[in-house]
Amino acid sequence: MTQLKAQLTSDLTAAMKARDELTTATLRMLLTAVTTEEVAGSTARELTDDEVLKVIGREAKKRREAADAFSSAGRTEQAARELDEQAVLNRYLPSQLDDAELTALVTEAVRESGATEQRQMGQVMKLLAPRVAGRADGKRLSDEVRRQLSS
């Protein structure tokens, strides 16, 4: 068992003992998503910590999108629950880049790639993906690249 998955399992046990319903439900859902990912494909395998982080990021994004959908539909109670679940998931994700750090990384990648127009956005994104790796939402990243290439 990877270190992160072991941490999730022990945190689930602690949440169950503390009778923390939100954390218990969220971690159960997350461990189920990890297990599903492990058995997906032709052969079962154990995920690395990086792959588990990707699953956590994907689940956090689902919660954020669901909260937006519930909010726009006027269902504030469900939106609050989704945001609470996202907060639990965010404990396991690396800290997010602030706007200044993101702008600096994008500026450096644009300079390195020599990109000057929107059509070259893929080149910049290819350079940025490993540098950002879970520390910024893909939409935020692409919006900043688009903004810098259009100016």
Side-chain angles (χ1 to χ4, degrees), residues 92-113:
Y92 301 98
L93 291 172
S95 61
Q96 296 292 299
L97 294 171
D98 64 24
D99 290 338
E101 293 170 319
L102 183 66
T103 301
L105 280 172
V106 170
T107 302
E108 182 181 330
V110 167
R111 185 180 44 74
E112 278 181 41
S113 69

Side-chain angles (χ1 to χ4, degrees), residues 1 23 108 141:
M1 185 178 294
T23 304
E108 182 181 330
L141 185 62

Side-chain angles (χ1 to χ4, degrees), residues 22-91:
L22 173 69
T23 304
T24 299
T26 304
L27 291 179
R28 278 185 175 153
M29 172 275 310
L30 179 58
L31 285 168
T32 300
V34 168
T35 303
T36 301
E37 187 74 19
E38 287 177 334
V39 298
S42 58
T43 59
R45 62 189 174 84
E46 181 132 356
L47 298 180
T48 64
D49 279 346
D50 287 340
E51 291 170 323
V52 173
L53 276 175
K54 287 180 184 175
V55 172
I56 296 170
R58 189 170 55 232
E59 293 299 320
K61 181 178 179 185
K62 285 180 187 177
R63 299 300 164 278
R64 186 172 49 255
E65 290 172 350
D68 290 344
F70 282 132
S71 291
S72 64
R75 300 174 71 183
T76 56
E77 191 174 305
Q78 288 93 341
R81 171 68 184 216
E82 294 291 336
L83 291 174
D84 291 343
E85 288 179 2
Q86 182 188 0
V88 170
L89 295 172
N90 284 343
R91 293 183 211 160

Side-chain angles (χ1 to χ4, degrees), residues 5 21 32 121 145:
K5 189 174 175 187
E21 188 274 328
T32 300
M121 186 173 165
V145 170

